[in-house]
Amino acid sequence: MTTLAVLGAGAKAVAVAAKASVLRDMGIDTPDIIAVERIGVGANWQASGGWTDGVHRLGTSPEKDVGFPYRSSLVPRRNAELDERMTRYSWQSFLIATASFAEWIDRGRPAPTHGRWGQYLRWVADQVGLNIVQGEVDELAVAGDRWAVHTHDTTVYAEALMITGPGQAERSLLPGNPRVLSIAQFWDRAAAHDRITAERVAVIGGGETAASILDELFHHRVSTITVITPQVTLFTRGESFFENSLFSDPTDWAALTLEERRDAIARTDRGVFSASVQEALLADDRIHHLRGRVAHAVPRDGQIRLTLSSNRGSENLETVHGFDLVIDASGADPMWFTSLFSQDALDLLELGLGGPLTADSVQEAIGYDLSVIDVTPKLFLPNLAGLNQGPGFPNLSCLGLLSDRVLGAELRASTPADKPAISRNDEQQPLR
Ligand SMILES: Cc1cc2nc3c(=O)[nH]c(=O)nc-3n(C[C@H](O)[C@H](O)[C@H](O)COP(=O)(O)OP(=O)(O)OC[C@H]3O[C@@H](n4cnc5c(N)ncnc54)[C@H](O)[C@@H]3O)c2cc1C
């Protein structure tokens, strides 16, 4: 038996589990998938995960579902059958199963709310019998030639590990200060219908997280909203066929230079708002943009003073601005999981990387199968695969392709049955 453990039962775990289940039904050998999840399937798409209140809408189209783009290349001569079987877990199949397909069509195929998208993920997980170990992962260690994924109660041993999700939403510039809200604190207040009243509000960060927060903030009593990002202006994401196809089909991505790839990601992904967000929100005259990175935050005279630094030519300019409320929506830290690694696991990674573990060194070492090259047991990091493999892998843009790459990877020979994949921590553990 070969096991692939997945940290988090979100969109990626569900997509990989769905494809693995279909492959198994077709009689094809495939690893067992075990997701270790702290809350529940699709938790980050509802209020409990801290990233949304569940009522805001998905930015990408829901047809970019767990099988998209339905162009498998995993099983010679049977890929069409694989894609056809995957359509049973499509967004449309979910709507049909929940008697809402006709209504969705008649309403003009609206973007679903985050909460509804979470329901879709849970439906797929149920259909394919996703194996979930409940618990918060608190350590990632190496045990012999397997990963040991530890929670308080349980350890999952696996020949390969995939890490998903943006980490925790509780990060705040000034923890404990009521004038500075983390993403989770903001959504907690919104979900409790706690109306925010403030004159000057700052939202730090661009991207989908900040977009959802802006969308919500307009319904509260705020006089001005200043969006703070390092870019010269608030860019609109390019959404033409050519830009979108980079996300769905990264075939030509590897042929671009590193500089061209960074440029494409900056224009289409990082810190940019979708055209619909620009149109709906940024037309509101309460909104302004300030360029800079937040260098310091201090409470003074009933306000939060933010020092922003920005590069103007060769000069570094610092400016200070006061706000009544600051929302730290700077969002996901792509390296959030590194604090979970045991010293052995860190040594293993640094050996594979040939140097210190940094966001740049990891991104540049992600191979075709979305794992870190030269690291065994395999470590799949799709959220850091954008630069090397294609900008769609960290998000929802090509979950079907992501599953092909991960399940098509060469995994180490299977482990004998006397070494179980799941053990309770109160049982004797020969491997730790
Ligand atoms: C508000 C918002 C809106 C977004 N909208 C879009 C969009 O429209 N289109 C798009 O392509 N992308 C969007 N994104 C990006 C989105 O995060 C990714 O596309 C996608 O969810 C990533 O899937 P995933 O499986 O990596 O993670 P997730 O679906 O986020 O799942 C991660 C899971 O890990 C669990 N978890 C976290 N820490 C632990 C731990 N220590 N132990 C155990 N479990 C843990 C969480 O509870 C969660 O269930 C959005 C992100 C946000 C925050």
Side-chain angles (χ1 to χ4, degrees), residues 324-380:
D324 304 314
L325 182 71
V326 173
I327 300 158
D328 185 355
S330 50
D333 168 9
M335 297 289 280
W336 69 272
F337 54 88
T338 52
S339 61
L340 300 177
F341 283 130
S342 67
Q343 192 55 49
D344 283 3
L346 278 175
D347 292 347
L348 182 91
L349 274 167
E350 300 203 329
L351 200 68
L353 292 170
L357 179 72
T358 64
D360 282 345
S361 68
V362 176
Q363 288 186 76
E364 288 171 23
I366 301 287
Y368 182 80
D369 63 12
L370 315 182
S371 76
V372 187
I373 293 169
D374 290 337
V375 170
T376 314
K378 276 219 180 272
L379 177 64
F380 296 101

Side-chain angles (χ1 to χ4, degrees), residues 6-14 36-45 49 51-52 57-61 114 117 121 133 135-138 151 162-168 183 187 208-210 212 237 336 340 382-383 392-397 399:
V6 186
L7 192 164
K12 295 190 183 88
V14 172
V36 188
E37 167 59 49
R38 66 180 190 136
I39 304 171
V41 176
N44 280 355
W45 298 97
W51 290 93
T52 173
R57 290 188 187 270
L58 201 64
T60 42
S61 103
H114 292 156
W117 183 251
L121 295 179
V133 167
E136 174 146 3
V137 174
D138 54 23
T151 71
M162 177 165 84
I163 295 176
T164 69
Q168 315 320 340
I183 296 165
W187 286 119
E208 291 293 347
T209 308
S212 292
R237 178 190 302 147
W336 69 272
L340 300 177
N383 286 352
F393 289 112
N395 43 69
L396 306 175
S397 300
L399 290 170

Side-chain angles (χ1 to χ4, degrees), residues 1 3 34 146 155-159 415-424 427-428 430-431:
M1 235 172 48
T3 303
I34 302 178
R146 296 193 287 176
T155 301
V156 174
Y157 296 99
E159 283 71 29
T415 302
D418 63 337
K419 289 182 171 180
I422 303 176
S423 84
R424 284 195 50 84
E427 290 166 3
Q428 202 192 358
L431 291 171

Side-chain angles (χ1 to χ4, degrees), residues 177-181 302-304 323-327:
N177 189 307
R179 290 187 180 274
V180 182
L181 299 182
Q303 279 199 324
I304 300 296
F323 297 97
D324 304 314
L325 182 71
V326 173
I327 300 158

